[in-house]
Amino acid sequence: MIIFAILVNIRSFIVLNQLKQKRAEIIEDTEAINQSIENFVTSIEKENDELYRELVNYIKMKENKLDERIRILEEKQDKPVKSIPISVRKPVTQDDEQTIQKSSPSDEQDNEKISKLSKQGFSPKQIAKVLQKDHGEVELIINMLKKKKSYHN
């Protein structure tokens, strides 16, 4: 009986030892998993930072291109228009009037463009620069379109 008790105690110690080893292995595995998760998060953060930098650079590049385009348009707008002296101008004929009437669809297209840009929040000055039209003409068209709209409502 004493031998049996000694054997049971020895077996208990062995089982306890095995449990301690398993617990240590589980703790090591948990620490390894935590470390791999930390490494993964760190690599994702680095990749995210790099993508953010690339996005910022892309936006800056597009803004620079847009600024350049605006500068070119402003330069075109600021160039003086060559006018023909009155003494050289020919009188308006019926053919000229017909040509002017035929060009009205393009005026309607310009009016539609002006209307769309105005609805998008662009100022008359900006619209005039983009469409290469006179600022006063654009304002007049916008006011006419607003009055036309108010009559229809």
Side-chain angles (χ1 to χ4, degrees), residues 119-134:
K119 287 177 184 176
Q120 290 175 0
F122 290 97
S123 72
K125 189 174 184 179
Q126 292 170 325
I127 295 170
K129 284 182 182 178
V130 170
L131 297 179
Q132 297 181 347
K133 294 215 167 264
D134 185 48

Side-chain angles (χ1 to χ4, degrees), residues 9-23:
N9 282 337
I10 292 174
R11 178 73 181 144
S12 298
F13 286 125
I14 293 173
V15 168
L16 284 175
N17 236 357
Q18 289 175 346
L19 284 175
K20 285 181 183 179
Q21 288 175 351
K22 291 284 184 185
R23 191 175 288 172

Side-chain angles (χ1 to χ4, degrees), residues 10-50:
I10 292 174
R11 178 73 181 144
S12 298
F13 286 125
I14 293 173
V15 168
L16 284 175
N17 236 357
Q18 289 175 346
L19 284 175
K20 285 181 183 179
Q21 288 175 351
K22 291 284 184 185
R23 191 175 288 172
E25 289 175 8
I26 290 173
I27 290 172
E28 286 176 14
D29 290 345
T30 304
E31 289 174 358
I33 290 171
N34 286 338
Q35 185 63 39
S36 67
I37 289 173
E38 286 178 21
N39 292 340
F40 176 74
V41 168
T42 303
S43 70
I44 293 293
E45 286 175 344
K46 287 178 182 177
E47 186 177 340
N48 188 30
D49 290 341
E50 181 61 32

Side-chain angles (χ1 to χ4, degrees), residues 57-81:
N57 290 336
Y58 177 79
I59 290 171
K60 285 180 183 178
M61 179 187 67
K62 287 295 184 179
E63 285 177 346
N64 289 339
K65 286 183 179 179
L66 182 61
D67 289 342
E68 180 66 20
R69 176 85 171 126
I70 289 171
R71 186 188 60 75
I72 290 169
L73 290 173
E74 286 175 345
E75 285 176 0
K76 286 181 182 179
Q77 182 68 23
D78 292 339
K79 287 183 181 175
V81 178

Side-chain angles (χ1 to χ4, degrees), residues 110-146:
D110 287 344
N111 291 353
E112 289 176 22
K113 289 178 185 176
I114 290 170
S115 175
K116 286 180 183 178
L117 291 171
S118 177
K119 287 177 184 176
Q120 290 175 0
F122 290 97
S123 72
K125 189 174 184 179
Q126 292 170 325
I127 295 170
K129 284 182 182 178
V130 170
L131 297 179
Q132 297 181 347
K133 294 215 167 264
D134 185 48
H135 178 253
E137 180 183 359
V138 172
E139 282 186 333
L140 178 65
I141 292 170
I142 290 172
N143 289 334
M144 287 172 42
L145 292 171
K146 285 180 182 177

Side-chain angles (χ1 to χ4, degrees), residues 92-105:
V92 178
T93 63
Q94 285 184 336
D95 292 336
D96 293 335
E97 288 179 4
Q98 289 174 354
T99 305
I100 291 170
Q101 289 174 354
K102 287 179 185 175
S103 69
S104 65

